[in-house]
Amino acid sequence: LIIVLVMLLILSGTCYADGLDTHEVENAVPDDARELAGDLDDAGDAQAFFERMGDTVKQKFMDNAGGILKKAVSVVIVAVMCSILSLFGGDKTPELVTLCGCAAITMLCVSDTNSYISQSTKVINDISAFSKILLPAMCTASAACGEISSAAVRYAASAMFMDVFIALAQNLIVPFIYAYLAVSIASAAFDNPSLGSVSKLLKWASTSLMTLLSLGFTAYIGVSSAIASGGDKLASKIAKTTISTVLPVVGGIISDAASSVVAGAEIVKNTLGAFGMIVVLALCISPMVVIGLNYLAFKAAGAFTSTLKLPQIASLTHSIGTAFGMLLGLVGCCGVMMFMSLISCMRAVVG
């Protein structure tokens, strides 16, 4: 009893815990998404965010729809003029008209493609940079919730696959899109079926890389997290049972206190996860709206030009629309992978 009293006097101090600094996550939000995403404290107000997102989508649509529509109409006008000239020309006129039409469409449309590709690449790099700050914070909060093994597995998988995706996007997928456009233009201008096959191969390679990487990431993080989460649940149950058994009275109090700490960490983790999703949406929404409008406009123009007797010009118009679709898939693939990481990290350990 004397020893217990002495130890109580010696140890009767204040216990401090190092809290998770969430300000670093807020400071890591890119400038392009800061106004739309808002603050971390506003992450739970989904209605306000979707209202801001709706206003942003509307504004982007109003700012870009007119210019994109004019460009698509210009492509249709070029196709109609080429069709008229080919009807009244000689035997070699259709080839020359087709060549001039492809050159005109290329100058009208492909000059802006580089800016859209650069914009898509910037969005991917911004998401990757933000994930390097957000995912460690999520991992720390998950570990505080008792998900020690699964948090490490999820962080390792997310970081590895994001790095692989960024490397593939910069070194393979984006060059493949450039090559696809170049080969499609040459194939349409010179009516070369071999070049058309090469363009199809480039398209297949790009989409296959994005699909395989997304499926591989989803499968890996799902299976590995399930296995690691099972171990964390078992360890959590064993720890609570041991504490309650060894310390009959105090053990229950400690177990309840630990549950309160876990619940607090769970709130922090879910708040960070919701805020991360909002930031990813804020980063992706503007370029996806603009690129999506280009995709729809050129696919519609391609459908109209297909009714004319100039299959090469119709094929080129469709190919330009397909290139915008590939860019849309590239940004969407990166966003989906980040969403899967956050959803996996927000799953709770029940023990």
Side-chain angles (χ1 to χ4, degrees):
L1 181 59
I2 293 173
I3 292 174
V4 170
L5 292 174
V6 171
M7 294 302 295
L8 287 175
L9 291 173
I10 293 174
L11 300 176
S12 61
T14 304
C15 180
Y16 295 97
D18 187 12
L20 180 63
D21 186 11
T22 58
H23 295 290
E24 188 176 355
V25 177
E26 287 187 283
N27 295 332
V29 178
D31 296 333
D32 296 340
R34 191 176 298 276
E35 183 178 354
L36 178 57
D39 299 327
L40 184 61
D41 297 334
D42 301 330
D45 192 356
Q47 183 177 358
F49 168 71
F50 283 113
E51 288 178 356
R52 294 196 301 270
M53 188 174 70
D55 294 338
T56 301
V57 171
K58 182 180 178 181
Q59 188 64 38
K60 284 290 180 181
F61 181 85
M62 297 296 293
D63 293 341
N64 295 276
I68 294 171
L69 184 61
K70 288 180 181 178
K71 194 171 293 184
V73 171
S74 300
V75 171
V76 173
I77 291 173
V78 169
V80 171
M81 291 177 63
C82 291
S83 179
I84 294 173
L85 290 174
S86 64
L87 289 176
F88 295 99
D91 295 335
K92 293 185 177 181
T93 303
E95 297 179 2
L96 181 60
V97 167
T98 300
L99 181 61
C100 293
C102 291
I105 292 174
T106 301
M107 294 184 67
L108 280 172
C109 307
V110 181
S111 59
D112 295 334
T113 306
N114 185 52
S115 63
Y116 290 118
I117 294 177
S118 300
Q119 186 179 5
S120 302
T121 306
K122 182 180 181 300
V123 171
I124 294 171
N125 290 331
D126 287 342
I127 293 176
S128 176
F130 180 66
S131 70
K132 295 183 185 302
I133 303 298
L134 177 64
L135 292 178
M138 293 285 292
C139 180
T140 303
S142 298
C145 295
E147 307 174 19
I148 299 175
S149 300
S150 57
V153 168
R154 290 167 188 155
Y155 174 67
S158 301
M160 180 185 70
F161 274 90
M162 285 298 293
D163 289 341
V164 171
F165 180 80
I166 295 299
L168 287 176
Q170 292 177 343
N171 300 317
L172 283 178
I173 298 176
V174 170
F176 278 178
I177 295 175
Y178 277 117
Y180 172 80
L181 275 173
V183 174
S184 297
I185 292 169
S187 174
F190 301 106
D191 193 17
N192 192 324
S194 299
L195 292 177
S197 300
V198 173
S199 66
K200 291 179 181 178
L201 177 63
L202 290 170
K203 175 189 173 183
W204 174 84
S206 301
T207 54
S208 297
L209 278 174
M210 290 185 283
T211 303
L212 288 175
L213 193 61
S214 299
L215 291 177
F217 172 73
T218 303
Y220 180 82
I221 200 171
V223 174
S224 60
S225 297
I227 296 173
S229 296
D232 288 334
K233 291 178 182 179
L234 181 61
S236 179
K237 289 181 179 179
I238 292 174
K240 287 185 177 181
T241 304
T242 302
I243 292 174
S244 299
T245 303
V246 175
L247 305 172
V249 178
V250 182
I253 299 174
I254 295 175
S255 179
D256 294 338
S259 298
S260 300
V261 173
V262 168
E266 187 86 26
I267 294 173
V268 174
K269 181 185 69 172
N270 291 337
T271 303
L272 285 173
F275 182 68
M277 290 182 179
I278 288 174
V279 172
V280 173
L281 274 175
L283 285 170
C284 293
I285 190 65
S286 295
M288 290 188 75
V289 168
V290 178
I291 296 172
L293 285 174
N294 278 279
Y295 172 77
L296 293 175
F298 280 100
K299 283 298 181 181
F304 184 85
T305 54
S306 298
T307 61
L308 305 175
K309 294 183 179 181
L310 292 174
Q312 294 161 251
I313 292 180
S315 175
L316 177 58
T317 309
H318 276 294
S319 297
I320 295 173
T322 300
F324 283 112
M326 293 163 69
L327 284 177
L328 199 62
L330 185 64
V331 176
C333 182
C334 184
V336 167
M337 288 178 61
M338 193 63 187
F339 262 71
M340 291 298 298
S341 300
L342 296 176
I343 291 172
S344 177
C345 289
M346 290 171 70
R347 289 165 53 189
V349 170
V350 180

